[in-house]
Amino acid sequence: MAQLANELGTEKINKLLIKQAVPATIGILVMSLNMIVDTIFVGQWIGVLAIAAITVVLPIAFLISSIGMGIGIGGSSIISRALGAENSEKAFLTFGNQICLTLILAIIFVLLGNFFSVPILDLFGAKGDILPIASDYFAVVIYGVPFLAFAMMGNPVIRAEGKPKFAMYAMMIPAVLNIVLDIIFIKYFDWGMTGAGLATSISFASCGLYILYFFLSKKSELKIIPKNFKLDIKIVREIVELGGVSVVRQGAISILMIVLNYSLFTYGGEISISIFGIINRVMMFALSPVLGVSQGFLPVAGFNIGANKNDRVKETIKKSIYFGSLLGTIIFIGIVVFKEQIIFIFTQDKTLLSETPNAMLIVFLVTPIVTMQLIGSAYFQAAGKAVPALILTLLKQGIFLIPLAYFLPKYYGVAGVWWSFPIADTLSTIVTVLVLKREVDKNLNSSIVKN
């Protein structure tokens, strides 16, 4: 633990952010690339409706697995601050509680997903001809979700240990495996959506098993100790308060997907859901560097908050926003220049080729400023301040985007859906900047950080 304290507490912030953010970016990039290739394969080898089916199903899988992500992020915030305060006992106890909570809750929600699959799919937008294809995919993917939940729990914990490269490997392994299995199951075995689902489930399992291997190996400073599985009410409450931010955020994203799919189907039909499916995959891939910066920010900020090193916390905030905004600007320029070529990778359908590029450009319109919103909400998670973290996290998807995506199409049709994204991004960023500035002036300019 001493080496970790020396690095996160003393090493230059620029170097730390690069060390943490680059592996996180690569991991997210590869996982996003995996989802893009998955979409390309089903679009080219199965059909346009298959893209719509994946667009409907994956948010359900990620909603269930977000329980693990929430427990992981909430627990890693506690672990980072505990390590910064040199409290190894609390770090180990937190880790054990994370594992126990993740396994119990993931299995419960998977069972519920199995019993109520048809109404859940219908709720998330599997209408008309999309439903039977989505059902085939969902019936297989659901069994890989507990492994994904464990992986999403373990990944931020690995980063909290100061081992970002292993967190990156955990995301790369399933991505590569899924691409290989997609080719085998869909193209050569001709298993259709069932094959796509099986490839996805096996890739989820590989990710979870790799993270289990890491924690059982000598590479991990945190160990799986059965006695720490006994739930500690105080630890659980803190994990839930902080991790609940991520779960609620994913819940808001799921509600958003319901609203988006409803508006898209109502005002544009099945083809509009396919258009959004492509845009969503591009968004996940293109924004990977920005998300990597925010992921890299968390352990650096959390450790230094725990160590009461305010100047380093402020420097981490400023430099994270600078790097993320620079990357966001480069990404937007790339979208402007290559939007038609990007869509052509996914499909040769004439309607999709004509309608998707302009819609995508609108959705990405304010990408250069989104880092401010991500770092603002991430700071409060790192600081262990659940309420402002929750509010800021919900700003875009919950407070602004959901009502905009529902009401704007009533007046502007499908175009209203696309314009709801940059409007929500702009409003949420303005509010986040104001709240973060107030926090810095009030607490980080004082001699003690309030945990």
Side-chain angles (χ1 to χ4, degrees), residues 65 275 302 427:
S65 62
I275 290 172
L427 293 174

Side-chain angles (χ1 to χ4, degrees), residues 58 63 74 103 117 167 230 254 288 292 316-317 370 390 396 408 411 434 440:
L58 284 183
L63 174 62
L103 295 178
S117 61
K230 185 178 180 181
S254 297
S288 296
T316 304
I317 293 171
V370 295
L390 176 61
K396 178 185 174 179
L408 285 184
Y411 302 98
L434 293 174
V440 170

Side-chain angles (χ1 to χ4, degrees), residues 296-370:
F297 167 85
L298 280 166
V300 180
F303 185 95
N304 286 286
I305 288 169
N308 290 320
K309 297 186 176 183
N310 293 11
D311 289 340
R312 288 177 63 81
V313 176
K314 288 189 290 184
E315 185 181 356
T316 304
I317 293 171
K318 290 177 182 178
K319 290 188 174 176
S320 296
I321 290 175
Y322 171 77
F323 288 135
S325 298
L326 179 62
L327 290 167
T329 302
I330 295 170
I331 290 163
F332 177 67
I333 292 171
I335 293 295
V336 172
V337 175
F338 299 109
K339 58 183 185 296
E340 286 86 4
Q341 291 86 342
I342 291 170
I343 305 307
F344 190 77
I345 295 172
F346 290 90
T347 182
Q348 278 78 55
D349 183 87
K350 291 182 179 179
T351 304
L352 290 179
L353 288 173
S354 65
E355 295 184 17
T356 309
N358 287 337
M360 185 168 68
L361 183 60
I362 295 170
V363 170
F364 276 87
L365 204 55
V366 295
T367 303
I369 68 170
V370 295

